[in-house]
Amino acid sequence: MSKPSRKNESAAACPNTLCGVACCLIVCATIAFIAHLVISSHSAQSPRLWITAVVATNGNQATIMADTRRMEFWTPSAKTKDYLRKKGGEVASNDQWQIIRNDDPVLEFGTLLHSNVNVLGYRRVEVWGQGRTVFKPGWWWTMNVLTNYSVVDLAHAYQTFWKAPQPVFVEVIDNRGSDE
């Protein structure tokens, strides 16, 4: 048998060396890219969706109130009782809590909410809507709170005041994010 020449050996070894180096570079680049994604996703906060700002009356100074959140939810109004589903002429026992004669309880509930120092303020508007019950009127509340006022705090105040047998549906928009 003839021996392969050294010239053929070095030519055959070169492609294997290049493939090995290329594979090693691709693996290292992939690991570096994944590490970059993991590190950057943990360190960067998502951008703020909205801000709560206090602006001086002269318009020269604005203070952004960080660490706040907005909670939105529904309560009955004096009109709600006229639109509740009735069985045999009577409102179902699960819906009795929604019957109020006038909006005095709504005002009392607002006072109760605002008595908590972590509640910065609220507004409410009369709305019509439908969730898992009939289409009916009520009040839609938007409340700005500090982040140490939790959804559980709101749910407790709501259930204690309204005595609702159903869970409370709350929309929460968190303001903790970056300004970039």
Side-chain angles (χ1 to χ4, degrees):
M1 283 200 222
S2 66
K3 284 185 167 180
S5 70
R6 288 187 78 61
K7 186 177 181 182
N8 287 343
E9 279 181 16
S10 65
C14 185
N16 290 339
T17 306
L18 287 175
C19 280
V21 169
C23 286
C24 184
L25 286 174
I26 290 172
V27 168
C28 289
T30 302
I31 291 170
F33 179 70
I34 291 171
H36 169 73
L37 289 177
V38 169
I39 291 170
S40 65
S41 68
H42 288 297
S43 63
Q45 284 186 318
S46 57
R48 290 185 199 272
L49 299 176
W50 63 283
I51 62 168
T52 301
V54 178
V55 181
T57 54
N58 62 10
N60 291 336
Q61 182 181 359
T63 303
I64 295 176
M65 299 185 70
D67 294 331
T68 59
R69 65 172 58 114
R70 189 166 73 200
M71 297 182 185
E72 298 188 7
F73 56 94
W74 182 90
T75 64
S77 72
K79 296 178 184 176
T80 305
K81 66 183 174 296
D82 299 328
Y83 296 88
L84 296 173
R85 187 180 330 206
K86 295 179 180 170
K87 292 180 183 177
E90 294 293 319
V91 173
S93 61
N94 275 6
D95 293 336
Q96 291 285 328
W97 70 275
Q98 299 175 64
I99 298 174
I100 57 176
R101 291 185 180 179
N102 55 42
D103 281 326
D104 288 347
V106 177
L107 297 172
E108 290 172 30
F109 184 62
T111 301
L112 170 72
L113 292 174
H114 202 256
S115 68
N116 187 309
V117 296
N118 296 312
V119 174
L120 300 174
Y122 69 86
R123 63 185 172 274
R124 60 184 169 84
V125 294
E126 197 166 18
V127 295
W128 283 82
Q130 183 173 9
R132 296 286 170 219
T133 62
V134 298
F135 186 71
K136 61 189 172 196
W139 292 105
W140 186 253
W141 298 70
T142 300
M143 184 169 68
N144 289 324
V145 299
L146 297 175
T147 52
N148 55 355
Y149 186 88
S150 71
V151 177
V152 174
D153 294 329
L154 173 60
H156 182 265
Y158 192 101
Q159 295 288 9
T160 302
F161 186 87
W162 294 107
K163 312 279 190 264
Q166 296 95 348
V168 181
F169 177 81
V170 181
E171 294 178 9
V172 179
I173 302 171
D174 206 320
N175 191 25
R176 292 176 290 184
S178 71
D179 292 326
E180 298 173 7

